Amino acid sequence: MEREAATSPTENGPETDVAAVRRHPALFRAIKRRKNPRLRRSDITVTDEAAVKRAVKAASLGNAMEWFDFGIYAYLAGTIGRVFFPSGSDTAQLLSSFATFAVAFLVRPIGGMVFGPMGDKIGRKKVLALTMILMAIGTAAIGFIPSYDAIGFWSPLLLILFRLLQGFSTGGEYGGASTFIAEYAPDKRRGFFGSFLELGTLAGYTGAASLVTALTAGLGSDTMDAWGWRIPFLVAAPLGIVGIYLRLRLDDTPAFLKLEDSNVHISEAATAVETTARGDLAKIFRTHWRSLLLCIALVGAYNITDYMLLSYMPTYLSDELDYSESHGLMILVATMVLLMLIINQVGRLSDHFGRKPVLMTGMIGFFVLSAPAFVLVREGSLLAVSGGMLMLGLSLVCLLGTMSAALPAMFPTNVRYGSLSVGYNLSASLFGGTTPLVITALISVTGSDMMPAYYSMAAALVGVVAVACMKETAQQPLAGSPPSVGTEEEAVELVEAQVPTPKF
């Protein structure tokens, strides 16, 4: 009992003798300093704003091109159903098209497990360039596939094959791009710079929707079914080359380069490949499973609401409310342009007020506003539909503008790319890509046009719980990385803030 009274858990250790601390204060202060050494000026990264902007541009433009490729398929779902799945009812064609859309998400976790740990080993920029190459090949190849009438069942089989290639490459995209920006940006502006990644997502979707709308209006449905649908897929090839060029011009992130300099990474290539495939994945699931589960919950809620609005809504307007395909896409384009105008300000808000308050606003917005928004959309008039989509869009932009800064901060530098790629793509596979398919099936089974609202509300409820459980990371260094600041003056202030105030 006396021994228990003389010991207590302190910052010097889990079971430190209090009397010993009193007898040898200098010794225990030295132990504490050794465990938690003060920052030196050389430990702090002072970012070069020009380099940060180049990194943000390369990651965001590459991300825009990735989602341009993915958006094309979503906005041509009806046409693709008629070209590749001609037999059956309109609902069967649409379900077949969305099932093929969802197929790409089945292999995204595999892509994440391959590309993510690889990015932690050989560098962020090399893997991001590789994902860009594969996505461009997969998308352009879809544009060359003969129709079902020409080659029969080989046509949908080839479509599924190239969709799998798209999905595999996308498995390494978001985790890498968000990690790339987060590790380049200064701590106090990570939300602002991270929001450009989702600005790229919106730009990709907007470009895809605008191109499909213009082609549909100019060529007509019959011509689009005959050959016009190929044009957007073929446009992706030269855009992909631009993205590859931008990414290869950059240096890798300061956080990754410092990690290499500290000899954390294994240098031998053969050993690196072996440990990437086995050891690193095992470490992610064994050591970081709590953060992984939280990431999956957050991304699941975010993806369901994101794909419901940006991918499924035009199909909902045309199939359930009898809008013309081009009319529904034009309303969505207008909504996305508005979100693009404000998304960077949302990123600034997350830097100032924190990630959790902004994310919680978006989740609660979806939970409260989804039903009223769909009531407005079902009313059918241009003003009502626009108002309903705007309500959903303003909730979504709170997630879009914040998530790309919040998610990378959940994992340490040495496993960040891999952990985020695995968690993000597992969730996107289960909940994101299946959203159009699930909603279409639910409407078919229940006959209720309100199923998209109920599905979004359920996702938002999960998101509210996940946001409540996450740690606030705004204006803090990334785990496993030294502080990153924007100016030399900030670095000096950080070092001086550690010097204890003299006692007189």
Side-chain angles (χ1 to χ4, degrees):
M1 294 292 293
E2 291 179 2
R3 180 62 181 169
E4 291 179 6
T7 62
S8 65
T10 72
E11 60 191 359
N12 296 306
E15 195 77 8
T16 301
D17 191 321
V18 175
V21 173
R22 291 172 180 164
R23 289 195 302 270
H24 307 286
L27 174 62
F28 280 93
R29 281 198 299 271
I31 293 172
K32 180 183 175 183
R33 283 196 298 270
R34 184 160 185 172
K35 288 183 177 179
N36 302 289
R38 290 175 184 166
L39 283 172
R40 297 167 298 179
R41 169 59 192 85
S42 58
D43 295 327
I44 301 171
T45 300
V46 179
T47 60
D48 176 0
E49 185 156 354
V52 174
K53 289 179 178 178
R54 286 196 301 272
V56 170
K57 183 189 300 182
S60 301
L61 286 177
N63 199 53
M65 291 165 193
E66 291 267 6
W67 292 108
F68 173 84
D69 295 351
F70 242 63
I72 287 168
Y73 190 97
Y75 300 139
L76 286 171
T79 302
I80 288 171
R82 294 188 292 271
V83 172
F84 290 95
F85 308 98
S87 59
S89 64
D90 290 344
T91 300
Q93 288 179 343
L94 191 60
L95 283 170
S96 298
S97 180
F98 278 140
T100 311
F101 179 79
V103 155
F105 286 80
L106 295 179
V107 295
R108 279 184 64 164
I110 300 174
M113 291 178 187
V114 171
F115 292 122
M118 190 187 299
D120 286 325
K121 287 292 180 184
I122 66 173
R124 285 47 166 139
K125 81 163 189 175
K126 295 175 184 176
V127 176
L128 282 173
L130 178 58
T131 63
M132 191 86 252
I133 292 169
L134 293 177
M135 174 59 88
I137 292 172
T139 305
I142 290 175
F144 288 107
I145 300 175
S147 68
Y148 185 93
D149 292 337
I151 60 173
F153 81 97
W154 290 104
S155 180
L157 192 64
L158 287 171
L159 176 64
I160 290 171
L161 175 66
F162 292 123
R163 285 291 296 161
L164 289 173
L165 180 59
Q166 281 186 320
F168 182 71
S169 68
T170 306
E173 172 61 27
Y174 184 89
S178 57
T179 293
F180 200 78
I181 292 178
E183 291 182 349
Y184 253 107
D187 297 333
K188 292 183 178 180
R189 302 183 70 195
R190 190 174 298 119
F192 171 69
F193 285 118
S195 66
F196 281 92
L197 183 65
E198 297 295 358
L199 177 65
T201 299
L202 288 172
Y205 273 125
T206 301
S210 300
L211 181 57
V212 171
T213 302
L215 288 171
T216 303
L219 299 177
S221 296
D222 292 340
T223 306
M224 284 295 290
D225 288 359
W227 55 268
W229 65 271
R230 300 181 186 276
I231 296 174
F233 289 102
L234 298 177
V235 166
L239 291 179
I241 294 172
V242 174
I244 295 163
Y245 170 74
L246 288 173
R247 288 183 170 181
L248 287 177
R249 286 184 62 221
L250 294 170
D251 292 327
D252 226 314
T253 68
F256 178 79
L257 294 175
K258 284 201 172 187
L259 200 61
E260 278 196 318
D261 291 342
S262 64
N263 295 320
V264 172
H265 283 266
I266 301 169
S267 59
E268 293 80 15
T271 308
V273 172
E274 182 179 351
T275 56
T276 294
R278 297 182 180 180
D280 285 3
L281 280 176
K283 180 180 179 182
I284 288 169
F285 284 104
R286 184 179 63 251
T287 308
H288 303 286
W289 63 270
R290 291 181 181 85
S291 297
L292 207 58
L293 287 176
L294 187 57
C295 176
I296 289 171
L298 280 170
V299 173
Y302 157 60
N303 267 254
I304 286 174
T305 52
D306 181 43
Y307 283 98
M308 185 274 296
L309 179 61
L310 301 185
S311 295
Y312 174 73
M313 189 59 77
T315 303
Y316 177 82
L317 291 174
S318 60
D319 280 41
E320 305 300 331
L321 302 181
D322 297 323
Y323 265 62
S324 69
E325 291 181 1
S326 59
H327 194 178
L329 282 172
M330 286 174 66
I331 297 174
L332 179 62
V333 167
T335 303
M336 289 193 292
V337 168
L338 178 61
L339 300 188
M340 289 170 66
L341 294 175
I342 63 175
I343 190 170
N344 297 132
Q345 301 310 313
V346 173
R348 287 184 193 274
L349 288 176
S350 78
D351 283 330
H352 184 72
F353 294 105
R355 316 289 184 232
K356 293 183 66 170
V358 181
L359 287 173
M360 188 65 79
T361 300
M363 296 297 183
I364 292 175
F366 268 110
F367 185 74
V368 173
L369 298 177
S370 287
F374 271 88
V375 169
L376 279 176
V377 169
R378 289 175 64 202
E379 197 274 330
S381 69
L382 177 61
L383 187 61
V385 172
S386 300
M389 291 183 68
L390 182 60
M391 290 167 66
L392 296 172
L394 291 176
S395 300
L396 179 62
V397 79
C398 293
L399 309 183
L400 289 172
T402 310
M403 201 69 76
S404 52
L407 293 176
M410 297 174 67
F411 303 100
T413 302
N414 62 324
V415 294
R416 180 171 297 123
Y417 195 156
S419 300
L420 182 51
S421 293
V422 170
Y424 186 93
N425 289 294
L426 278 173
S427 189
S429 176
L430 292 171
F431 307 110
T434 59
T435 295
L437 177 64
V438 170
I439 293 176
T440 303
L442 288 173
I443 292 175
S444 178
V445 170
T446 64
S448 172
D449 292 341
M450 289 294 291
M451 290 312 298
Y454 302 147
Y455 197 52
S456 295
M457 291 169 67
L461 190 59
V462 173
V464 166
V465 175
V467 173
C469 294
M470 68 180 285
K471 294 179 180 178
E472 181 57 72
T473 56
Q475 301 195 20
Q476 298 176 19
L478 292 169
S481 293
S484 178
V485 298
T487 64
E488 188 70 37
E489 290 74 15
E490 287 183 77
V492 173
E493 287 176 9
L494 271 180
V495 174
E496 292 179 346
Q498 299 176 104
V499 179
T501 305
K503 296 179 181 179
F504 297 98

